[in-house]
């Protein structure tokens, strides 16, 4: 199978679409499937050929980008699932954030059909996906991963192969744990600074220029400065990932009190109607707990 074989892409969401589009822009023939007709229309406008599930599954390499364990099992497993439609010797590259248990079920089914299954969760956001600078963690057959490398270069800046089993799933959950906790720390730090008499914008500058100014902190400062909480990754999605993280921690006897605390924070945000708000809504939550009002923002030029 050559690197120029048709590529199937199943799941054209906020990350799936820009990843697939970058492959199309790089000159690859991409057949895309999504249950949402609107997403298919957006994909077609970006050079991705609309396909049904069967057509996408019959490509030499099939990528999937799916929301959770339930959808993963429903789409990939069973008599009518993607794996049943794929040919022996093809590659399934699964980019979602799912549990190791669900991924292991897919691995068993793929192995039974002679399909190389590469766990390939990606880390980043839609902006990085559009820029082609996501990172990915890989595990599964090394030869299949090496075959995928030229394709991955279209939408990732770094690829790390970690082993032959579910290591990539644990890596992604570990990274998302740090993102969730960082969102909590950033929220408390902003609230503390404001309570100490520091203007909201000045406190954001402090964080952005400090020793803890991670790429995530720098990425979130501009929308926070504008009080823009439109979602790149929602509170509800973060709660789902924290459930996966806690399940993995409990299954491996790892104490994860910070994950548990952040899960309670996101439960509160969802209960307050913020489920579809960006996960950095932890800032609003900390402000409410501290009795802080909405901060005054600088007026735009001419006002």
């Amino acid at each position: 199978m050559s690197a120029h074989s048709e590529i199937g892409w199943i799941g054209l969401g906020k990350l799936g679409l820009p990843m697939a589009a970058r492959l199309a822009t790089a000159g690859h023939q991409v057949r895309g499937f999504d249950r949402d007709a609107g997403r298919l229309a957006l994909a077609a406008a970006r050079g991705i050929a609309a396909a049904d599930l069967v057509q996408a599954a019959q490509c030499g390499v099939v990528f999937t980008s799916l929301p959770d364990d339930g959808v993963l099992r429903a789409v990939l497993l069973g008599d009518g699932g993607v794996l049943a439609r794929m040919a022996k010797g093809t590659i399934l590259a699964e980019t979602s954030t799912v549990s190791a248990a669900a991924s292991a079920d897919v691995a068993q089914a793929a192995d039974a059909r002679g399909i190389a299954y590469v766990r390939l969760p990606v880390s980043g956001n839609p902006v990085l996906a559009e820029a082609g600078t996501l990172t990915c963690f890989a595990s599964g057959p090394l030869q299949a991963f090496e075959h995928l490398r030229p394709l991955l270069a279209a939408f990732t800046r770094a690829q790390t192969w970690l082993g032959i089993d579910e290591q990539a799933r644990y890596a992604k959950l570990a990274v998302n744990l740090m993102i969730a906790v960082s969102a909590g720390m950033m929220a408390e730090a902003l609230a503390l600074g404001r309570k100490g008499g520091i203007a909201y914008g000045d406190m954001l500058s402090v964080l952005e220029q400090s020793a803890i100014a991670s790429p995530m902190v720098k990425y979130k400062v501009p929308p926070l400065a504008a009080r823009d909480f439109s979602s790149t990754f929602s509170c509800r999605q973060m709660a789902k990932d924290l459930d996966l993280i806690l399940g993995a921690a409990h299954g491996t006897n790892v104490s994860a009190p910070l994950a548990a605390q952040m899960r309670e924070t996101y439960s509160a945000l969802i209960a307050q109607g913020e489920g579809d708000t960006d996960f950095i809504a932890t800032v609003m939550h900390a402000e409410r707990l501290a009795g802080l009002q909405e901060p005054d923002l600088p007026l735009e030029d001419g006002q």
Side-chain angles (χ1 to χ4, degrees):
M1 181 172 51
S2 75
H4 300 288
S5 300
E6 283 190 326
I7 299 165
W9 198 290
I10 297 168
L12 298 165
K14 288 182 179 179
L15 289 181
L17 176 56
M19 288 191 286
R22 286 195 64 87
L23 283 170
T25 300
H28 302 285
Q29 295 180 337
V30 182
R31 289 181 172 268
F33 171 78
D34 195 285
R35 290 174 177 168
D36 185 331
R39 301 304 295 182
L40 280 177
L42 290 172
R46 301 188 64 175
I48 299 164
D52 60 28
L53 189 64
V54 175
Q55 291 169 330
Q58 290 175 342
C59 296
V61 173
V62 178
F63 285 88
T64 57
S65 180
L66 304 169
D68 54 41
D69 283 14
V71 176
L72 181 85
R73 288 191 168 102
V75 171
L76 295 182
L77 304 178
D79 293 339
V82 168
L83 286 172
R85 314 279 187 179
M86 292 179 68
K88 182 177 181 180
T90 53
I91 298 174
L92 172 65
E94 210 302 301
T95 69
S96 314
T97 302
V98 295
S99 70
S103 184
D105 289 344
V106 174
Q108 183 177 16
D111 186 62
R113 293 189 57 82
I115 296 164
Y117 171 48
V118 180
R119 298 77 156 167
L120 201 73
V122 296
S123 182
N125 53 62
V127 173
L128 297 182
E130 291 288 356
T133 56
L134 296 169
T135 59
C136 69
F137 316 106
S139 60
L142 180 56
Q143 185 176 4
F145 169 66
E146 292 295 347
H147 179 88
L148 291 174
R149 272 189 182 272
L151 303 180
L152 301 180
F155 56 86
T156 67
R157 63 173 176 79
Q159 315 89 27
T160 306
W161 184 79
L162 298 168
I164 62 171
D165 295 311
E166 302 304 327
Q167 292 90 342
R169 302 301 186 188
Y170 286 97
K172 179 61 192 300
L173 294 179
V175 167
N176 279 21
L177 169 58
M178 293 190 70
I179 292 172
V181 172
S182 295
M185 292 191 300
M186 196 170 180
E188 291 186 9
L190 281 167
L192 180 61
R194 289 184 63 198
K195 279 288 194 174
I198 304 172
Y200 176 72
D202 289 343
M203 192 61 207
L204 282 172
S205 295
V206 167
L207 297 182
E208 188 176 27
Q209 297 170 22
S210 70
I212 52 84
S214 67
M216 191 207 101
V217 169
K218 289 180 179 294
Y219 171 64
K220 285 303 180 186
V221 163
L224 283 173
R227 300 296 286 187
D228 179 4
F229 293 95
S230 54
S231 178
T232 58
F233 189 78
S234 71
C235 291
R236 203 179 309 278
Q237 288 173 304
M238 185 61 84
K240 182 269 292 186
D241 282 6
L242 283 162
D243 287 340
L244 295 178
I245 289 162
L246 288 167
H250 295 161
T252 54
N253 294 315
V254 172
S255 176
L258 295 177
Q261 181 177 341
M262 288 311 303
R263 181 60 178 89
E264 295 306 308
T265 295
Y266 284 107
S267 292
L269 281 162
I270 292 168
Q272 293 163 4
E274 305 289 359
D276 295 324
T277 305
D278 191 79
F279 75 95
I280 203 63
T282 49
V283 169
M284 292 191 291
H285 184 65
E287 288 169 346
R288 291 167 187 158
L289 292 177
L292 289 164
Q293 301 299 313
E294 185 80 9
D296 293 327
L297 301 182
L299 293 177
E300 295 184 4
D301 291 344
Q303 291 187 301

